[in-house]
Amino acid sequence: NPSIINMEEAYELAKCSYFLLDYYDECENDKHKMMIVAAVRYFANSEDPFNEATFAGGFHDDKMVINHVLEELGFNEWFMAVD
């Protein structure tokens, strides 16, 4: 069975996740810290409501979640394109 997971999108999400995790220690806002953890966990959880291997949207939902956190933190330059 060939993988239907878009590895390019997975790497892009991982890169943004690492960026957020690197920022976590210097973040002084507890709400923002919770958002970072929630977004990274959402991406890392392979059994989210819109599983990448099951739904045609792939990582669409993961990108939306991480983009929301990036926007809240003011890191718009890290936004990922969402199809």
Side-chain angles (χ1 to χ4, degrees):
N1 259 349
S3 175
I4 60 172
I5 293 177
N6 183 326
M7 293 307 293
E8 187 176 312
E9 287 185 342
Y11 288 128
E12 183 180 28
L13 278 156
K15 188 170 118 178
C16 287
S17 294
Y18 280 116
F19 170 77
L20 288 172
L21 290 172
D22 285 343
Y23 174 70
Y24 181 90
D25 284 336
E26 66 185 80
C27 180
E28 297 180 1
N29 183 310
D30 288 340
K31 177 184 173 193
H32 288 170
K33 284 184 166 189
M34 287 190 298
M35 291 173 71
I36 290 168
V37 170
V40 172
R41 285 185 68 174
Y42 187 87
F43 166 57
N45 183 359
S46 64
E47 298 194 19
D48 66 42
F50 301 100
N51 186 290
E52 287 66 46
T54 306
F55 292 96
F59 289 110
H60 181 269
D61 57 317
D62 302 81
K63 286 182 175 184
M64 295 293 289
V65 169
I66 290 188
N67 278 348
H68 174 73
V69 174
L70 291 167
E71 181 180 21
E72 286 290 315
L73 298 175
F75 295 121
N76 299 358
E77 69 275 10
W78 281 85
F79 276 14
M80 296 170 282
V82 179
D83 305 343

